[in-house]
PDB file of all heavy atoms in Angstrom:
ATOM      1  N   VAL A   1     -25.618  11.011 -12.734  1.00 97.00           N
ATOM      2  CA  VAL A   1     -26.279   9.882 -12.057  1.00 97.00           C
ATOM      3  C   VAL A   1     -25.297   8.739 -11.865  1.00 97.00           C
ATOM      4  O   VAL A   1     -25.193   8.145 -10.781  1.00 97.00           O
ATOM      5  CB  VAL A   1     -27.507   9.413 -12.864  1.00 97.00           C
ATOM      6  CG1 VAL A   1     -28.088   8.137 -12.251  1.00 97.00           C
ATOM      7  CG2 VAL A   1     -28.565  10.506 -12.906  1.00 97.00           C
ATOM      8  N   PHE A   2     -24.555   8.412 -12.924  1.00 98.00           N
ATOM      9  CA  PHE A   2     -23.592   7.321 -12.836  1.00 98.00           C
ATOM     10  C   PHE A   2     -22.443   7.665 -11.878  1.00 98.00           C
ATOM     11  O   PHE A   2     -22.000   6.831 -11.094  1.00 98.00           O
ATOM     12  CB  PHE A   2     -23.038   6.987 -14.219  1.00 98.00           C
ATOM     13  CG  PHE A   2     -23.996   6.232 -15.100  1.00 98.00           C
ATOM     14  CD1 PHE A   2     -23.697   6.042 -16.445  1.00 98.00           C
ATOM     15  CD2 PHE A   2     -25.172   5.709 -14.608  1.00 98.00           C
ATOM     16  CE1 PHE A   2     -24.565   5.335 -17.272  1.00 98.00           C
ATOM     17  CE2 PHE A   2     -26.061   5.005 -15.423  1.00 98.00           C
ATOM     18  CZ  PHE A   2     -25.744   4.817 -16.759  1.00 98.00           C
ATOM     19  N   VAL A   3     -21.958   8.886 -11.958  1.00 97.00           N
ATOM     20  CA  VAL A   3     -20.850   9.278 -11.080  1.00 97.00           C
ATOM     21  C   VAL A   3     -21.295   9.258  -9.623  1.00 97.00           C
ATOM     22  O   VAL A   3     -20.535   8.833  -8.735  1.00 97.00           O
ATOM     23  CB  VAL A   3     -20.305  10.661 -11.481  1.00 97.00           C
ATOM     24  CG1 VAL A   3     -19.289  11.146 -10.460  1.00 97.00           C
ATOM     25  CG2 VAL A   3     -19.672  10.608 -12.868  1.00 97.00           C
ATOM     26  N   GLU A   4     -22.511   9.681  -9.358  1.00 97.00           N
ATOM     27  CA  GLU A   4     -23.033   9.659  -7.994  1.00 97.00           C
ATOM     28  C   GLU A   4     -23.123   8.220  -7.468  1.00 97.00           C
ATOM     29  O   GLU A   4     -22.802   7.947  -6.302  1.00 97.00           O
ATOM     30  CB  GLU A   4     -24.409  10.317  -7.941  1.00 97.00           C
ATOM     31  CG  GLU A   4     -24.980  10.472  -6.540  1.00 97.00           C
ATOM     32  CD  GLU A   4     -24.115  11.340  -5.630  1.00 97.00           C
ATOM     33  OE1 GLU A   4     -23.486  12.297  -6.123  1.00 97.00           O
ATOM     34  OE2 GLU A   4     -24.072  11.037  -4.415  1.00 97.00           O
ATOM     35  N   LYS A   5     -23.527   7.299  -8.324  1.00 98.00           N
ATOM     36  CA  LYS A   5     -23.556   5.886  -7.922  1.00 98.00           C
ATOM     37  C   LYS A   5     -22.146   5.402  -7.577  1.00 98.00           C
ATOM     38  O   LYS A   5     -21.939   4.660  -6.608  1.00 98.00           O
ATOM     39  CB  LYS A   5     -24.155   5.022  -9.038  1.00 98.00           C
ATOM     40  CG  LYS A   5     -25.657   5.144  -9.204  1.00 98.00           C
ATOM     41  CD  LYS A   5     -26.141   4.284 -10.364  1.00 98.00           C
ATOM     42  CE  LYS A   5     -27.656   4.386 -10.545  1.00 98.00           C
ATOM     43  NZ  LYS A   5     -28.395   3.644  -9.501  1.00 98.00           N
ATOM     44  N   ALA A   6     -21.181   5.814  -8.389  1.00 98.00           N
ATOM     45  CA  ALA A   6     -19.791   5.410  -8.146  1.00 98.00           C
ATOM     46  C   ALA A   6     -19.271   5.978  -6.830  1.00 98.00           C
ATOM     47  O   ALA A   6     -18.560   5.289  -6.080  1.00 98.00           O
ATOM     48  CB  ALA A   6     -18.912   5.863  -9.306  1.00 98.00           C
ATOM     49  N   ILE A   7     -19.604   7.223  -6.546  1.00 98.00           N
ATOM     50  CA  ILE A   7     -19.156   7.855  -5.302  1.00 98.00           C
ATOM     51  C   ILE A   7     -19.690   7.087  -4.093  1.00 98.00           C
ATOM     52  O   ILE A   7     -18.970   6.868  -3.110  1.00 98.00           O
ATOM     53  CB  ILE A   7     -19.600   9.329  -5.262  1.00 98.00           C
ATOM     54  CG1 ILE A   7     -18.810  10.143  -6.301  1.00 98.00           C
ATOM     55  CG2 ILE A   7     -19.426   9.916  -3.870  1.00 98.00           C
ATOM     56  CD1 ILE A   7     -19.305  11.555  -6.487  1.00 98.00           C
ATOM     57  N   LYS A   8     -20.932   6.654  -4.155  1.00 98.00           N
ATOM     58  CA  LYS A   8     -21.524   5.914  -3.044  1.00 98.00           C
ATOM     59  C   LYS A   8     -20.867   4.549  -2.846  1.00 98.00           C
ATOM     60  O   LYS A   8     -20.955   3.966  -1.755  1.00 98.00           O
ATOM     61  CB  LYS A   8     -23.031   5.746  -3.270  1.00 98.00           C
ATOM     62  CG  LYS A   8     -23.811   7.045  -3.154  1.00 98.00           C
ATOM     63  CD  LYS A   8     -25.293   6.843  -3.429  1.00 98.00           C
ATOM     64  CE  LYS A   8     -26.059   8.155  -3.288  1.00 98.00           C
ATOM     65  NZ  LYS A   8     -27.507   7.991  -3.600  1.00 98.00           N
ATOM     66  N   LEU A   9     -20.217   4.050  -3.874  1.00 98.00           N
ATOM     67  CA  LEU A   9     -19.572   2.739  -3.801  1.00 98.00           C
ATOM     68  C   LEU A   9     -18.096   2.830  -3.402  1.00 98.00           C
ATOM     69  O   LEU A   9     -17.405   1.814  -3.363  1.00 98.00           O
ATOM     70  CB  LEU A   9     -19.689   2.017  -5.157  1.00 98.00           C
ATOM     71  CG  LEU A   9     -21.091   1.558  -5.547  1.00 98.00           C
ATOM     72  CD1 LEU A   9     -21.130   1.163  -7.020  1.00 98.00           C
ATOM     73  CD2 LEU A   9     -21.523   0.376  -4.673  1.00 98.00           C
ATOM     74  N   GLU A  10     -17.617   4.032  -3.105  1.00 98.00           N
ATOM     75  CA  GLU A  10     -16.206   4.162  -2.736  1.00 98.00           C
ATOM     76  C   GLU A  10     -15.929   3.384  -1.453  1.00 98.00           C
ATOM     77  O   GLU A  10     -16.629   3.545  -0.448  1.00 98.00           O
ATOM     78  CB  GLU A  10     -15.827   5.626  -2.535  1.00 98.00           C
ATOM     79  CG  GLU A  10     -14.358   5.813  -2.197  1.00 98.00           C
ATOM     80  CD  GLU A  10     -13.912   7.261  -2.193  1.00 98.00           C
ATOM     81  OE1 GLU A  10     -14.740   8.143  -2.504  1.00 98.00           O
ATOM     82  OE2 GLU A  10     -12.737   7.512  -1.874  1.00 98.00           O
ATOM     83  N   PRO A  11     -14.901   2.544  -1.443  1.00 98.00           N
ATOM     84  CA  PRO A  11     -14.661   1.694  -0.269  1.00 98.00           C
ATOM     85  C   PRO A  11     -13.954   2.439   0.857  1.00 98.00           C
ATOM     86  O   PRO A  11     -13.241   3.423   0.625  1.00 98.00           O
ATOM     87  CB  PRO A  11     -13.748   0.600  -0.834  1.00 98.00           C
ATOM     88  CG  PRO A  11     -12.982   1.285  -1.923  1.00 98.00           C
ATOM     89  CD  PRO A  11     -13.962   2.257  -2.543  1.00 98.00           C
ATOM     90  N   LYS A  12     -14.138   1.963   2.061  1.00 98.00           N
ATOM     91  CA  LYS A  12     -13.329   2.415   3.196  1.00 98.00           C
ATOM     92  C   LYS A  12     -12.105   1.505   3.224  1.00 98.00           C
ATOM     93  O   LYS A  12     -12.220   0.288   3.387  1.00 98.00           O
ATOM     94  CB  LYS A  12     -14.113   2.310   4.497  1.00 98.00           C
ATOM     95  CG  LYS A  12     -13.301   2.728   5.727  1.00 98.00           C
ATOM     96  CD  LYS A  12     -14.146   2.710   6.984  1.00 98.00           C
ATOM     97  CE  LYS A  12     -13.324   2.951   8.246  1.00 98.00           C
ATOM     98  NZ  LYS A  12     -12.458   4.123   8.182  1.00 98.00           N
ATOM     99  N   LEU A  13     -10.945   2.085   3.049  1.00 98.00           N
ATOM    100  CA  LEU A  13      -9.739   1.286   2.925  1.00 98.00           C
ATOM    101  C   LEU A  13      -9.377   0.620   4.244  1.00 98.00           C
ATOM    102  O   LEU A  13      -9.541   1.201   5.323  1.00 98.00           O
ATOM    103  CB  LEU A  13      -8.574   2.138   2.432  1.00 98.00           C
ATOM    104  CG  LEU A  13      -8.731   2.751   1.033  1.00 98.00           C
ATOM    105  CD1 LEU A  13      -7.461   3.507   0.647  1.00 98.00           C
ATOM    106  CD2 LEU A  13      -9.064   1.693  -0.012  1.00 98.00           C
ATOM    107  N   ILE A  14      -8.886  -0.596   4.146  1.00 98.00           N
ATOM    108  CA  ILE A  14      -8.392  -1.345   5.302  1.00 98.00           C
ATOM    109  C   ILE A  14      -6.957  -0.895   5.589  1.00 98.00           C
ATOM    110  O   ILE A  14      -6.129  -0.816   4.675  1.00 98.00           O
ATOM    111  CB  ILE A  14      -8.427  -2.860   5.016  1.00 98.00           C
ATOM    112  CG1 ILE A  14      -9.875  -3.308   4.767  1.00 98.00           C
ATOM    113  CG2 ILE A  14      -7.798  -3.647   6.165  1.00 98.00           C
ATOM    114  CD1 ILE A  14      -9.981  -4.704   4.186  1.00 98.00           C
ATOM    115  N   GLU A  15      -6.667  -0.572   6.836  1.00 98.00           N
ATOM    116  CA  GLU A  15      -5.341  -0.103   7.215  1.00 98.00           C
ATOM    117  C   GLU A  15      -4.663  -1.116   8.134  1.00 98.00           C
ATOM    118  O   GLU A  15      -5.298  -1.676   9.025  1.00 98.00           O
ATOM    119  CB  GLU A  15      -5.433   1.247   7.928  1.00 98.00           C
ATOM    120  CG  GLU A  15      -6.026   2.351   7.065  1.00 98.00           C
ATOM    121  CD  GLU A  15      -6.008   3.702   7.765  1.00 98.00           C
ATOM    122  OE1 GLU A  15      -5.516   3.751   8.927  1.00 98.00           O
ATOM    123  OE2 GLU A  15      -6.476   4.684   7.186  1.00 98.00           O
ATOM    124  N   LYS A  16      -3.367  -1.322   7.894  1.00 98.00           N
ATOM    125  CA  LYS A  16      -2.577  -2.208   8.738  1.00 98.00           C
ATOM    126  C   LYS A  16      -1.219  -1.568   8.987  1.00 98.00           C
ATOM    127  O   LYS A  16      -0.611  -1.020   8.065  1.00 98.00           O
ATOM    128  CB  LYS A  16      -2.392  -3.576   8.083  1.00 98.00           C
ATOM    129  CG  LYS A  16      -3.687  -4.371   7.946  1.00 98.00           C
ATOM    130  CD  LYS A  16      -3.435  -5.800   7.497  1.00 98.00           C
ATOM    131  CE  LYS A  16      -4.733  -6.592   7.475  1.00 98.00           C
ATOM    132  NZ  LYS A  16      -4.506  -8.010   7.099  1.00 98.00           N
ATOM    133  N   GLN A  17      -0.758  -1.653  10.206  1.00 98.00           N
ATOM    134  CA  GLN A  17       0.568  -1.123  10.531  1.00 98.00           C
ATOM    135  C   GLN A  17       1.631  -2.160  10.202  1.00 98.00           C
ATOM    136  O   GLN A  17       1.547  -3.312  10.636  1.00 98.00           O
ATOM    137  CB  GLN A  17       0.658  -0.746  12.012  1.00 98.00           C
ATOM    138  CG  GLN A  17       0.079   0.607  12.328  1.00 98.00           C
ATOM    139  CD  GLN A  17       0.706   1.235  13.572  1.00 98.00           C
ATOM    140  OE1 GLN A  17       1.426   0.593  14.320  1.00 98.00           O
ATOM    141  NE2 GLN A  17       0.423   2.511  13.771  1.00 98.00           N
ATOM    142  N   VAL A  18       2.628  -1.739   9.435  1.00 98.00           N
ATOM    143  CA  VAL A  18       3.715  -2.626   9.038  1.00 98.00           C
ATOM    144  C   VAL A  18       5.035  -1.951   9.397  1.00 98.00           C
ATOM    145  O   VAL A  18       5.223  -0.757   9.126  1.00 98.00           O
ATOM    146  CB  VAL A  18       3.671  -2.921   7.519  1.00 98.00           C
ATOM    147  CG1 VAL A  18       4.789  -3.885   7.138  1.00 98.00           C
ATOM    148  CG2 VAL A  18       2.311  -3.477   7.115  1.00 98.00           C
ATOM    149  N   LYS A  19       5.941  -2.724   9.985  1.00 98.00           N
ATOM    150  CA  LYS A  19       7.245  -2.193  10.358  1.00 98.00           C
ATOM    151  C   LYS A  19       8.350  -2.947   9.621  1.00 98.00           C
ATOM    152  O   LYS A  19       8.147  -4.088   9.202  1.00 98.00           O
ATOM    153  CB  LYS A  19       7.453  -2.306  11.876  1.00 98.00           C
ATOM    154  CG  LYS A  19       6.472  -1.461  12.686  1.00 98.00           C
ATOM    155  CD  LYS A  19       6.782  -1.523  14.174  1.00 98.00           C
ATOM    156  CE  LYS A  19       5.834  -0.621  14.967  1.00 98.00           C
ATOM    157  NZ  LYS A  19       6.156  -0.611  16.423  1.00 98.00           N
ATOM    158  N   PRO A  20       9.507  -2.328   9.467  1.00 98.00           N
ATOM    159  CA  PRO A  20      10.610  -3.021   8.799  1.00 98.00           C
ATOM    160  C   PRO A  20      11.048  -4.241   9.591  1.00 98.00           C
ATOM    161  O   PRO A  20      10.925  -4.285  10.818  1.00 98.00           O
ATOM    162  CB  PRO A  20      11.710  -1.957   8.733  1.00 98.00           C
ATOM    163  CG  PRO A  20      11.378  -0.974   9.809  1.00 98.00           C
ATOM    164  CD  PRO A  20       9.891  -0.969   9.902  1.00 98.00           C
ATOM    165  N   ILE A  21      11.593  -5.227   8.868  1.00 98.00           N
ATOM    166  CA  ILE A  21      11.998  -6.468   9.527  1.00 98.00           C
ATOM    167  C   ILE A  21      13.517  -6.618   9.593  1.00 98.00           C
ATOM    168  O   ILE A  21      14.020  -7.450  10.344  1.00 98.00           O
ATOM    169  CB  ILE A  21      11.402  -7.707   8.820  1.00 98.00           C
ATOM    170  CG1 ILE A  21      11.925  -7.810   7.377  1.00 98.00           C
ATOM    171  CG2 ILE A  21       9.884  -7.666   8.846  1.00 98.00           C
ATOM    172  CD1 ILE A  21      11.607  -9.133   6.712  1.00 98.00           C
ATOM    173  N   ASN A  22      14.251  -5.828   8.794  1.00 98.00           N
ATOM    174  CA  ASN A  22      15.697  -5.969   8.749  1.00 98.00           C
ATOM    175  C   ASN A  22      16.364  -4.671   8.343  1.00 98.00           C
ATOM    176  O   ASN A  22      15.748  -3.815   7.681  1.00 98.00           O
ATOM    177  CB  ASN A  22      16.111  -7.054   7.751  1.00 98.00           C
ATOM    178  CG  ASN A  22      16.327  -8.408   8.407  1.00 98.00           C
ATOM    179  OD1 ASN A  22      16.894  -8.472   9.497  1.00 98.00           O
ATOM    180  ND2 ASN A  22      15.868  -9.457   7.753  1.00 98.00           N
ATOM    181  N   ILE A  23      17.625  -4.543   8.724  1.00 98.00           N
ATOM    182  CA  ILE A  23      18.503  -3.499   8.190  1.00 98.00           C
ATOM    183  C   ILE A  23      19.428  -4.204   7.196  1.00 98.00           C
ATOM    184  O   ILE A  23      20.043  -5.227   7.539  1.00 98.00           O
ATOM    185  CB  ILE A  23      19.314  -2.820   9.295  1.00 98.00           C
ATOM    186  CG1 ILE A  23      18.365  -2.221  10.339  1.00 98.00           C
ATOM    187  CG2 ILE A  23      20.219  -1.735   8.718  1.00 98.00           C
ATOM    188  CD1 ILE A  23      19.070  -1.771  11.610  1.00 98.00           C
ATOM    189  N   VAL A  24      19.498  -3.700   5.961  1.00 98.00           N
ATOM    190  CA  VAL A  24      20.212  -4.420   4.908  1.00 98.00           C
ATOM    191  C   VAL A  24      21.186  -3.499   4.190  1.00 98.00           C
ATOM    192  O   VAL A  24      21.163  -2.269   4.346  1.00 98.00           O
ATOM    193  CB  VAL A  24      19.222  -5.023   3.886  1.00 98.00           C
ATOM    194  CG1 VAL A  24      18.301  -6.028   4.556  1.00 98.00           C
ATOM    195  CG2 VAL A  24      18.403  -3.927   3.186  1.00 98.00           C
ATOM    196  N   SER A  25      22.032  -4.120   3.373  1.00 98.00           N
ATOM    197  CA  SER A  25      22.895  -3.407   2.438  1.00 98.00           C
ATOM    198  C   SER A  25      22.517  -3.844   1.027  1.00 98.00           C
ATOM    199  O   SER A  25      22.168  -5.005   0.800  1.00 98.00           O
ATOM    200  CB  SER A  25      24.369  -3.727   2.705  1.00 98.00           C
ATOM    201  OG  SER A  25      24.765  -3.301   3.986  1.00 98.00           O
ATOM    202  N   ILE A  26      22.576  -2.910   0.085  1.00 97.00           N
ATOM    203  CA  ILE A  26      22.285  -3.214  -1.314  1.00 97.00           C
ATOM    204  C   ILE A  26      23.472  -2.749  -2.141  1.00 97.00           C
ATOM    205  O   ILE A  26      23.832  -1.566  -2.107  1.00 97.00           O
ATOM    206  CB  ILE A  26      20.988  -2.519  -1.787  1.00 97.00           C
ATOM    207  CG1 ILE A  26      19.806  -2.944  -0.906  1.00 97.00           C
ATOM    208  CG2 ILE A  26      20.706  -2.846  -3.249  1.00 97.00           C
ATOM    209  CD1 ILE A  26      18.511  -2.207  -1.217  1.00 97.00           C
ATOM    210  N   ASN A  27      24.082  -3.686  -2.877  1.00 94.00           N
ATOM    211  CA  ASN A  27      25.239  -3.286  -3.683  1.00 94.00           C
ATOM    212  C   ASN A  27      24.784  -2.760  -5.043  1.00 94.00           C
ATOM    213  O   ASN A  27      23.588  -2.767  -5.368  1.00 94.00           O
ATOM    214  CB  ASN A  27      26.241  -4.431  -3.828  1.00 94.00           C
ATOM    215  CG  ASN A  27      25.674  -5.634  -4.575  1.00 94.00           C
ATOM    216  OD1 ASN A  27      24.735  -5.507  -5.378  1.00 94.00           O
ATOM    217  ND2 ASN A  27      26.250  -6.801  -4.331  1.00 94.00           N
ATOM    218  N   LYS A  28      25.735  -2.342  -5.860  1.00 89.00           N
ATOM    219  CA  LYS A  28      25.418  -1.700  -7.140  1.00 89.00           C
ATOM    220  C   LYS A  28      24.652  -2.612  -8.090  1.00 89.00           C
ATOM    221  O   LYS A  28      23.887  -2.151  -8.933  1.00 89.00           O
ATOM    222  CB  LYS A  28      26.704  -1.215  -7.811  1.00 89.00           C
ATOM    223  CG  LYS A  28      27.338   0.012  -7.149  1.00 89.00           C
ATOM    224  CD  LYS A  28      26.446   1.232  -7.308  1.00 89.00           C
ATOM    225  CE  LYS A  28      27.099   2.483  -6.739  1.00 89.00           C
ATOM    226  NZ  LYS A  28      26.210   3.666  -6.851  1.00 89.00           N
ATOM    227  N   SER A  29      24.861  -3.906  -7.976  1.00 88.00           N
ATOM    228  CA  SER A  29      24.149  -4.844  -8.848  1.00 88.00           C
ATOM    229  C   SER A  29      22.752  -5.157  -8.348  1.00 88.00           C
ATOM    230  O   SER A  29      22.002  -5.890  -8.988  1.00 88.00           O
ATOM    231  CB  SER A  29      24.951  -6.144  -8.976  1.00 88.00           C
ATOM    232  OG  SER A  29      25.029  -6.809  -7.716  1.00 88.00           O
ATOM    233  N   GLY A  30      22.377  -4.597  -7.185  1.00 90.00           N
ATOM    234  CA  GLY A  30      21.042  -4.806  -6.640  1.00 90.00           C
ATOM    235  C   GLY A  30      20.935  -5.982  -5.689  1.00 90.00           C
ATOM    236  O   GLY A  30      19.841  -6.329  -5.252  1.00 90.00           O
ATOM    237  N   LYS A  31      22.064  -6.594  -5.333  1.00 95.00           N
ATOM    238  CA  LYS A  31      22.026  -7.722  -4.403  1.00 95.00           C
ATOM    239  C   LYS A  31      21.807  -7.209  -2.979  1.00 95.00           C
ATOM    240  O   LYS A  31      22.463  -6.271  -2.531  1.00 95.00           O
ATOM    241  CB  LYS A  31      23.321  -8.520  -4.477  1.00 95.00           C
ATOM    242  CG  LYS A  31      23.312  -9.768  -3.599  1.00 95.00           C
ATOM    243  CD  LYS A  31      24.605 -10.560  -3.728  1.00 95.00           C
ATOM    244  CE  LYS A  31      24.575 -11.793  -2.833  1.00 95.00           C
ATOM    245  NZ  LYS A  31      25.847 -12.566  -2.933  1.00 95.00           N
ATOM    246  N   VAL A  32      20.883  -7.858  -2.273  1.00 97.00           N
ATOM    247  CA  VAL A  32      20.540  -7.470  -0.907  1.00 97.00           C
ATOM    248  C   VAL A  32      21.230  -8.409   0.074  1.00 97.00           C
ATOM    249  O   VAL A  32      21.138  -9.638  -0.050  1.00 97.00           O
ATOM    250  CB  VAL A  32      19.017  -7.511  -0.685  1.00 97.00           C
ATOM    251  CG1 VAL A  32      18.666  -7.097   0.743  1.00 97.00           C
ATOM    252  CG2 VAL A  32      18.311  -6.611  -1.693  1.00 97.00           C
ATOM    253  N   GLU A  33      21.909  -7.835   1.048  1.00 97.00           N
ATOM    254  CA  GLU A  33      22.574  -8.631   2.078  1.00 97.00           C
ATOM    255  C   GLU A  33      22.198  -8.090   3.455  1.00 97.00           C
ATOM    256  O   GLU A  33      22.056  -6.871   3.627  1.00 97.00           O
ATOM    257  CB  GLU A  33      24.093  -8.583   1.903  1.00 97.00           C
ATOM    258  CG  GLU A  33      24.559  -9.229   0.602  1.00 97.00           C
ATOM    259  CD  GLU A  33      26.062  -9.180   0.445  1.00 97.00           C
ATOM    260  OE1 GLU A  33      26.701  -8.368   1.164  1.00 97.00           O
ATOM    261  OE2 GLU A  33      26.600  -9.922  -0.392  1.00 97.00           O
TER     262      GLU A  33
END
């Protein structure tokens, strides 16, 4: 009964398209340029 209630409450996920904003280099210390 409880699991069935939970299933009915499952959300429809919101989707958004995201694209990269830059081409970068990352050095060994983790610095982004």
Side-chain angles (χ1 to χ4, degrees):
V1 173
F2 285 170
V3 172
E4 186 61 34
K5 286 178 180 286
I7 290 172
K8 291 178 179 178
L9 291 167
E10 182 172 357
K12 178 176 173 51
L13 297 183
I14 298 167
E15 298 184 0
K16 294 189 176 183
Q17 278 206 349
V18 182
K19 296 184 177 183
I21 63 169
N22 265 319
I23 302 168
V24 298
S25 297
I26 302 175
N27 63 25
K28 287 293 184 182
S29 65
K31 184 178 179 181
V32 180
E33 295 180 343

